[in-house]
Amino acid sequence: MSRNNAGLSTDRIIIEALRIIDGQGLRRLTMRRLGDALEVEAMAVYHHFPLGKEQLFDAIAAYIIDLDRPAPDEEAAAEQGGEEGDPEDPGDPGERGEEPEDIPWDERLRAWAHRYRSALLRHSGALQLLINRRPDTVPALRSTELLYGAFAEAGLDGGSVVSAAAAFESYVTGAVVREVRSRGLESPSPAVLDGRFPTVTALRDVPVDHARQFDEGLEALIAALVPVHA
């Protein structure tokens, strides 16, 4: 194992930690295993996170929901492109997490919902870290600001803005949890679909398209939260 810590950054540690979580599960993440993956001593990781694993978990949670950060495939493409890319071209604002004010409020909400869903699904093994932490980091407050601003522009005010934003974020998070759960491990003793569950039994062969269901639910929610578009 190399003891050379040159190039070891907070982001590199977080990215490697997420690789372990995504591939092996949250329980398998230890500082020693993370150091091995980075080819450094565990103490090198503690240099960046002196308070230990909980501090690392805080950073991972903030990293996942930082929608202004390029997605991993975009970062890789940028690195491969090198000097061939156009430094003057900022890319599509909607794809990069920027929300120009000239984009209608409902389009800003849709764009945020899809980016947030993608971020949570990409690292679904770390969902527990988000659920157990308050949304008080800079990335979390950026999202709250975007949601509040969009609903205020739609014509809501005060408590209505706060309630609408809470419902909107809860919908996206809940939809992700439902999708992840549907792909999870089967119960050791699954219930038999019989006469006790007549409707479930009748509909058990209906194909499930999570993306389509998400979009349909999103449109219904927006219409319900703001019945008359401003």
Side-chain angles (χ1 to χ4, degrees):
M1 180 184 299
S2 170
R3 293 178 179 272
N4 183 6
N5 301 334
L8 186 63
S9 65
T10 297
D11 276 6
R12 186 182 166 203
I13 293 171
I14 293 172
I15 291 170
E16 195 59 50
L18 282 169
R19 286 199 183 102
I20 294 173
I21 294 171
D22 295 341
Q24 304 178 43
L26 183 60
R27 293 183 180 180
R28 295 285 293 169
L29 178 62
T30 65
M31 296 303 239
R32 176 173 293 182
R33 184 169 286 114
L34 181 55
D36 289 344
L38 292 164
E39 298 185 339
V40 299
E41 299 290 346
M43 288 308 298
V45 179
Y46 279 105
H47 175 75
H48 290 269
F49 297 98
L51 300 182
K53 189 186 289 188
E54 286 302 315
Q55 186 181 15
L56 174 60
F57 284 168
D58 290 341
I60 290 172
Y63 184 95
I64 292 172
I65 63 171
D66 186 354
L67 302 185
D68 286 342
R69 185 187 301 276
D73 54 345
E74 294 174 353
E75 290 181 320
E79 291 177 359
Q80 291 176 2
E83 297 180 357
E84 296 179 4
D86 183 358
E88 300 299 324
D89 180 10
D92 183 344
E95 292 179 358
R96 291 176 58 83
E98 302 169 11
E99 297 295 345
E101 291 302 317
D102 57 352
I103 296 178
W105 65 267
D106 53 331
E107 289 301 322
R108 297 206 302 273
L109 290 176
R110 291 185 185 93
W112 178 87
H114 283 100
R115 290 201 311 275
Y116 196 62
R117 173 178 179 263
S118 295
L120 298 187
L121 287 174
R122 188 180 302 121
H123 302 298
S124 60
L127 278 174
Q128 178 182 339
L129 300 182
L130 301 176
I131 293 171
N132 292 327
R133 281 163 174 77
R134 290 186 179 183
D136 56 6
T137 61
V138 169
L141 291 177
R142 281 201 204 104
S143 285
T144 302
E145 178 65 27
L146 185 151
L147 297 180
Y148 282 11
F151 283 115
E153 184 179 322
L156 303 185
D157 60 10
S160 296
V161 168
V162 175
S163 295
F168 200 77
E169 182 179 1
S170 297
Y171 170 74
V172 179
T173 303
V176 168
V177 170
R178 186 174 185 276
E179 182 172 346
V180 171
R181 191 170 55 186
S182 72
R183 298 170 180 169
L185 298 175
E186 188 178 75
S187 169
S189 303
V192 176
L193 293 181
D194 52 27
R196 296 172 297 170
F197 317 107
T199 310
V200 176
T201 302
L203 298 176
R204 62 184 170 184
D205 294 325
V206 173
V208 175
D209 183 334
H210 292 288
R212 179 182 60 78
Q213 288 182 344
F214 180 80
D215 286 340
E216 290 176 351
L218 191 65
E219 293 306 313
L221 180 61
I222 292 175
L225 292 174
V226 188
V228 179
H229 288 195

